[in-house]
Amino acid sequence: MSIRKHLFTKSLMLFLSLAAIISCGHKSIDDQAEQDAEEYNKKFCPTPVVNFSRTDSVKFDRKTRTYTFYCSLVDKADNEELINANREQLTHTLTQTTKQTPGMKKFIDAGIKFKFICRSGSNPQKILLVAE
């Protein structure tokens, strides 16, 4: 099912590419992570809907050293049963995509964690998926 493989890939790849490009200089890795998240939000959020999802915002939490992607699932992906049936695969795809992105290696090597919080597009109060 293509929704399992491509649900977040384009939005995630856009963010990860941006992070790789703008993270340079003599800043600490946490400074870079925080700046990358802020700049991504200013330039791209919310992203256009791609593969039934969009990134609403990105945040870096210094205390927990966690990048969090806040996403909305729309149309066919805004389906709790579908998400529940594919939760493990979706989580795996999100984490593997992050790990396989060259620009994220320095953050991963520095112990920064990644988290995805995906909400229903039709009911934003409802969280459909949390992936770490």
Side-chain angles (χ1 to χ4, degrees), residues 37 39-47 55-58 70:
E39 289 185 18
Y40 183 82
N41 284 325
K42 287 177 187 173
K43 291 180 181 181
F44 301 107
C45 289
T47 64
T55 302
D56 298 314
S57 66
V58 179
Y70 296 92

Side-chain angles (χ1 to χ4, degrees), residues 6 41 44 52 58 60 62 68 81 102 107 113-114:
H6 302 289
N41 284 325
F44 301 107
F52 311 108
V58 179
F60 177 69
R62 283 181 177 268
T68 303
E81 288 179 27
F107 294 130
K113 298 171 282 206
F114 292 86

Side-chain angles (χ1 to χ4, degrees), residues 105-119:
K105 184 173 179 359
K106 65 183 167 198
F107 294 130
I108 293 167
D109 289 349
I112 291 175
K113 298 171 282 206
F114 292 86
K115 183 176 186 177
F116 301 84
I117 299 176
C118 304
R119 296 182 181 275

